[in-house]
Amino acid sequence: IVQSRPEADALQVAWQFTWWFFMTAATTLLAVLLVSLVQMRRTLGPIVSLHEATRRVAAGELQTRVSIHSHDEFGELGAAFNDMTSQLQENIRRREQTERELVASRDAALAAAHAKAEFVTNVSHEFRTPMTEILGAAEILSQLESGDDATREEFSHIALRGAQRLAKLVDDVLELGANNVWTMGPVDVA
């Protein structure tokens, strides 16, 4: 083959093709790299956001929320995370309320037990006084000789008065034990 054109002119087309080919390949590679970086950022952004929010929740910041506004799996995961933290806050609020109620119930039960113990102590003391009168009078009456009617009458009267007082105390305690609903309020003491 005889060529009438210079070799440089003939190879110039090949060099131009090679140059455009490498420029197109480099531009395409750069575009693919940029698109890949953007896609990686879009993919890793929600993951990083969820990781940071999880770390804050683990540290006790239950008001933490994530804002992932996408309609894919990451958006669903972000919504589920936000629901979870809301439920955790609600559960803790309910637990604290229950704890407050339990403490109040415990305090009321302790106060009732203390009041009961104080009541039993007071009632037993009030029962002892007339019982002592009755026992003392009965003991003296049992030791008296038959001729002392005035002393016998005096100690019989003491025993009777003690028994009546004891009977009144028993009636009062039984009335307290009845299932009457008591209302607390001001009372006119006069």
Side-chain angles (χ1 to χ4, degrees), residues 15-180:
W15 284 109
Q16 282 182 345
F17 174 78
T18 304
W19 186 83
W20 280 109
F21 177 79
F22 281 120
M23 289 305 288
T24 304
T27 305
T28 303
L29 183 62
L30 184 61
V32 167
L33 183 63
L34 287 176
V35 169
S36 296
L37 288 175
V38 168
Q39 186 61 30
M40 283 175 49
R41 183 179 175 119
R42 283 185 56 203
T43 302
L44 292 178
I47 293 172
V48 170
S49 176
L50 280 168
H51 178 264
E52 179 63 24
T54 303
R55 189 189 59 74
R56 285 184 295 186
V57 168
E61 298 176 32
L62 296 180
Q63 71 278 4
T64 302
R65 300 292 184 270
V66 292
S67 57
I68 301 173
H69 304 292
S70 64
H71 300 290
D72 57 1
E73 292 82 6
F74 291 120
E76 292 175 11
L77 186 60
F81 180 87
N82 291 338
D83 289 343
M84 177 193 67
T85 55
S86 295
Q87 289 176 2
L88 281 173
Q89 280 184 305
E90 179 62 22
N91 288 343
I92 288 173
R93 186 197 61 77
R94 275 191 257 137
R95 181 185 51 100
E96 288 171 349
Q97 176 66 29
T98 302
E99 286 175 357
R100 284 190 295 271
E101 291 170 0
L102 286 173
V103 167
S105 295
R106 182 206 61 202
D107 292 345
L110 288 175
H114 179 71
K116 179 182 176 185
E118 191 174 321
F119 174 75
V120 168
T121 301
N122 289 337
V123 166
S124 65
H125 175 73
E126 290 297 321
F127 279 169
R128 279 193 190 115
T129 304
M131 186 61 72
T132 303
E133 289 176 354
I134 295 168
L135 290 173
E139 186 178 329
I140 291 173
L141 283 173
S142 70
Q143 295 174 359
L144 280 179
E145 295 180 11
S146 59
D148 196 3
D149 288 338
T151 306
R152 187 177 305 280
E153 186 177 327
E154 178 186 350
F155 284 104
S156 296
H157 183 63
I158 290 173
L160 179 63
R161 191 177 61 223
Q164 287 171 339
R165 187 171 166 201
L166 188 60
K168 171 125 177 56
L169 285 173
V170 169
D171 288 343
D172 289 346
V173 169
L174 289 174
E175 187 177 325
L176 282 176
N179 289 331
N180 296 337

